[in-house]
């Protein structure tokens, strides 16, 4: 548990939720800076970083419930949330279900279904057909490198996560939310950010120019300044 958890600083609580297959250390610059003002808690999601592996596939809801229990056990109360990508999915689920957070900054937030064209739909149909007769070949031929690297349990969890549309949950969020996206993000492009902003009450959008999906690492000083200004309100 100790290796998968970082707690630093004093004051009101700030919780960091990392991206899929990433780890708490991805927030290195945020931990160092924001722990001057808050009690920062950063941990590895189950099956990632230095945490224990999953024993069964988890959906976003499973990760959110585990996060809630962990924070309760640590005595975290009404925290500010800072989440990246998949961590944003977990944050959305927590907030929509009434988790008592102060506010949330979600960067490169996932949860909006991507636009799929005819080529993609044909590829999916072909994959499903081939899988009936040669499942191993189908996984190798059609699965991404990231997907193929996963354990069987994590593959099933991944399917549950990426297939979930979280946009119906957004109107239920009742705390201030700031979306921070990179201008050149291709994993969660700006059109997704605008959908999130439109459907989330009390929300705003900041775009960091020249950045990709990891704007909090690429322009960490600018990102940290935005986070500090947002969280101090």
């Amino acid at each position: 548990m100790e290796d998968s958890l970082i707690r630093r600083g004093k004051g009101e609580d700030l919780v960091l939720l990392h991206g899929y297959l990433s780890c708490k250390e991805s927030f290195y610059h945020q931990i160092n800076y924001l722990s001057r003002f808050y009690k920062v808690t950063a941990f590895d999601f189950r099956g990632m970083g230095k945490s224990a592996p999953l024993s069964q596939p988890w959906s976003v809801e499973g990760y959110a419930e585990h996060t809630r229990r962990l924070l309760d056990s640590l005595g975290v109360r009404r925290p500010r949330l800072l989440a990246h990508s998949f961590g944003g999915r977990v944050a959305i689920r927590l907030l929509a279900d009434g988790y008592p957070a102060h506010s949330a900054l979600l960067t490169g937030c996932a949860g909006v279904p991507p636009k799929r064209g005819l080529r993609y739909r044909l590829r999916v149909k072909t994959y499903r057909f081939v899988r009936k007769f040669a499942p191993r070949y189908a996984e190798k031929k059609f699965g991404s490198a990231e997907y193929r690297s996963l354990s069987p349990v994590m593959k099933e969890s991944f399917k549950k996560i990426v297939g979930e549309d979280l946009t119906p949950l957004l109107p239920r969020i009742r705390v201030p939310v700031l979306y921070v996206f990179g201008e050149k993000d291709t994993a969660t492009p700006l059109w997704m950010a605008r959908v999130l902003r439109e459907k989330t009450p009390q929300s705003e959008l900041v775009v960091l120019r020249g950045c990709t999906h990891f704007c909090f690492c690429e322009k960490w000083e600018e990102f940290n300044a935005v986070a500090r200004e947002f969280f101090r309100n």
Side-chain angles (χ1 to χ4, degrees), residues 127 129-139:
Y127 163 72
F129 176 79
V130 174
R131 187 178 61 180
K132 293 179 181 179
F133 306 100
R136 291 186 179 180
Y137 175 79
E139 294 286 345

Side-chain angles (χ1 to χ4, degrees), residues 112-157:
V112 178
K115 298 174 182 177
R116 303 297 194 186
L118 177 60
R119 182 177 180 181
Y120 174 83
R121 294 194 294 271
L122 289 174
R123 185 174 176 83
V124 170
K125 287 184 178 181
T126 303
Y127 163 72
R128 290 173 176 169
F129 176 79
V130 174
R131 187 178 61 180
K132 293 179 181 179
F133 306 100
R136 291 186 179 180
Y137 175 79
E139 294 286 345
K140 182 177 180 180
K141 178 69 175 178
F142 294 92
S144 67
E146 178 184 67
Y147 179 77
R148 293 197 301 269
S149 71
L150 299 175
S151 69
V153 171
M154 288 293 284
K155 284 180 179 177
E156 293 305 310
S157 181

Side-chain angles (χ1 to χ4, degrees), residues 43 81 141:
F43 64 93
L81 301 178
K141 178 69 175 178

Side-chain angles (χ1 to χ4, degrees), residues 205-222:
L205 171 63
V206 170
V207 177
L208 296 189
R209 302 300 174 187
C211 292
T212 68
H213 193 52
F214 293 87
C215 62
F216 65 102
C217 299
E218 295 163 334
K219 289 191 175 180
W220 59 269
E221 291 178 313
E222 184 176 350

Side-chain angles (χ1 to χ4, degrees), residues 59-208:
S59 63
V60 176
E61 186 175 8
Y63 276 102
E65 180 56 33
H66 180 263
T67 298
R68 181 191 291 269
R69 291 198 304 268
L70 173 62
L71 297 181
D72 286 347
S73 72
L74 294 172
V76 173
R77 298 290 180 266
R78 198 169 177 263
R80 291 157 173 81
L81 301 178
L82 195 168
H84 174 235
S85 197
F86 164 73
R89 289 182 183 267
V90 176
I92 287 172
R93 171 60 72 176
L94 285 170
L95 297 173
D97 289 344
Y99 181 74
H102 174 279
S103 55
L105 189 161
L106 310 182
T107 180
C109 183
V112 178
K115 298 174 182 177
R116 303 297 194 186
L118 177 60
R119 182 177 180 181
Y120 174 83
R121 294 194 294 271
L122 289 174
R123 185 174 176 83
V124 170
K125 287 184 178 181
T126 303
Y127 163 72
R128 290 173 176 169
F129 176 79
V130 174
R131 187 178 61 180
K132 293 179 181 179
F133 306 100
R136 291 186 179 180
Y137 175 79
E139 294 286 345
K140 182 177 180 180
K141 178 69 175 178
F142 294 92
S144 67
E146 178 184 67
Y147 179 77
R148 293 197 301 269
S149 71
L150 299 175
S151 69
V153 171
M154 288 293 284
K155 284 180 179 177
E156 293 305 310
S157 181
F158 181 82
K159 292 176 185 177
K160 290 175 178 286
I161 291 165
V162 299
E164 185 172 3
D165 176 6
L166 298 181
T167 56
L169 301 181
L170 299 174
R172 290 162 44 184
I173 296 176
R174 292 292 179 263
V175 303
V177 175
L178 180 64
Y179 293 105
V180 181
F181 274 63
E183 178 188 23
K184 299 181 178 180
D185 191 337
T186 56
T188 52
L190 283 181
W191 71 263
M192 290 186 177
R194 296 186 182 102
V195 171
L196 292 166
R197 164 66 185 89
E198 179 183 347
K199 295 181 178 294
T200 308
Q202 303 184 65
S203 68
E204 298 293 340
L205 171 63
V206 170
V207 177
L208 296 189

Side-chain angles (χ1 to χ4, degrees), residues 1 3-5 22-25 44-45 47-52:
M1 176 66 177
D3 289 342
S4 63
L5 177 68
S22 186
C23 62
K24 60 190 179 300
E25 286 82 9
D44 293 325
F45 282 122
M48 307 176 208
K50 298 177 181 177
S51 69

